[in-house]
Amino acid sequence: MPETAIGVFGTGRLARAVHRLATEEGLTAHLLDPRRPEQWDTVPPPGVLVDCSAPEAVAHAADLSARLDVPLVECVSGLDEHHLRVLEERAAGTVVVLAPNLSLGNYLQTRALRLVADVVTTMDRAGITGAVPEAAVLERHPAAKRHRPSTTASRLARQWLRHTGRPAADVASLRCGPAVSDHEVRLTWPEQTLTLTHRVDSLDAAAAGAIGAAQWAAGHARGGTYTIHQVFDDLLATMAARTADDDDREDTP
């Protein structure tokens, strides 16, 4: 069965990274310039659309996804309520993956934060005084990053609040330094500190996640809105089930 062709909506650094990495992996991918709608019909129709454009072009990406009748992987961050409503409407007809941070490292950082939160709140309920630390989130992006705090930093703070019932003491932003990003969650007790840090050195980390999400969306029959972390959860569950089946077959006499 041939791989699904990927339409990469955008011309910026992430769009180019997704297109290059997909091509290197032997996949069919086409760059679609949001500013040149006359160009969109000059390439073979893709089986899934990956939006790497900008907030002002999100509605155009959703419209193109609807016209082509293909799933949409939405990689643009900093979306407002209007953008989210547009994507929710699109999800009524197909799969829409919300992926403001596509990296596997962010997924692991978030899972680690949830685990820590669950452990310290359990210790707190068990009577361990001061088990729940003060939390703060620090994110760094280059000066060209439009909004602050980043969507990723805000979501890390919300994860902490959701799992501990306590808000982060601060969500701080730096706009300086090299391209891509750093995100740190600092957990502080009076006598010790634990940091969960994720640094991205190349957009290939996000591009790999975008390609994986695109292939998942193209093969997922059930429409609706999904987060990139739900996609990763599903991929893990699928692989775990396959491993269990393989183990069962090996154990069968």
Side-chain angles (χ1 to χ4, degrees):
M1 182 177 178
E3 296 284 353
T4 300
I6 300 173
V8 185
F9 195 72
T11 58
R13 292 188 306 125
L14 178 57
R16 294 195 301 272
V18 173
H19 179 263
R20 176 184 52 76
L21 190 60
T23 302
E24 289 174 356
E25 292 182 2
L27 303 174
T28 300
H30 302 287
L31 279 173
L32 303 172
D33 189 337
R35 298 161 298 185
R36 296 182 57 199
E38 73 280 0
Q39 172 238 2
W40 302 346
D41 294 325
T42 64
V43 298
V48 60
L49 192 66
V50 178
D51 181 19
C52 305
S53 59
E56 55 269 22
V58 165
H60 299 302
D63 287 344
L64 181 58
S65 166
R67 180 158 68 84
L68 297 172
D69 192 24
V70 297
L72 175 64
V73 178
E74 183 53 65
C75 308
V76 178
S77 62
L79 302 183
D80 60 24
E81 290 300 321
H82 168 71
H83 299 125
L84 295 176
R85 284 195 299 271
V86 167
L87 295 172
E88 184 177 357
E89 291 172 2
R90 179 69 195 111
T94 189
V95 172
V96 173
V97 178
L98 301 179
N101 190 316
L102 293 145
S103 66
L104 179 60
N106 172 252
Y107 172 67
L108 297 173
Q109 182 186 37
T110 303
R111 287 190 63 152
L113 181 62
R114 289 202 303 262
L115 175 61
V116 171
D118 290 343
V119 169
V120 297
T121 53
T122 299
M123 292 293 188
D124 183 65
R125 291 194 299 272
I128 303 298
T129 302
V132 181
E134 177 184 76
V137 180
L138 172 65
E139 55 100 353
R140 184 208 60 80
H141 285 82
K145 180 75 171 177
R146 293 188 182 185
H147 66 282
R148 65 173 69 197
S150 68
T151 302
T152 297
S154 297
R155 290 189 173 189
L156 288 168
R158 285 200 298 271
Q159 282 288 329
W160 182 255
L161 175 62
R162 177 183 176 188
H163 288 273
T164 66
R166 305 188 186 190
D170 194 13
V171 180
S173 301
L174 291 176
R175 292 292 175 266
C176 62
V180 201
S181 64
D182 309 315
H183 292 88
E184 175 185 296
V185 181
R186 179 169 296 190
L187 306 174
T188 306
W189 296 263
E191 66 285 347
Q192 58 188 325
T193 299
L194 172 67
T195 58
L196 303 175
T197 302
H198 176 228
R199 184 180 69 205
V200 179
D201 298 316
S202 168
L203 279 174
D204 282 5
I211 294 168
Q215 294 176 325
W216 179 90
H220 199 74
R222 188 175 180 180
T225 302
Y226 302 86
T227 68
I228 186 65
H229 288 187
Q230 287 174 317
V231 172
F232 288 154
D233 285 343
D234 187 65
L235 291 172
L236 278 177
T238 299
M239 294 309 299
R242 289 180 184 175
T243 300
D245 289 343
D246 291 342
D247 290 344
D248 288 343
R249 282 193 289 270
E250 291 177 1
D251 293 339
T252 301

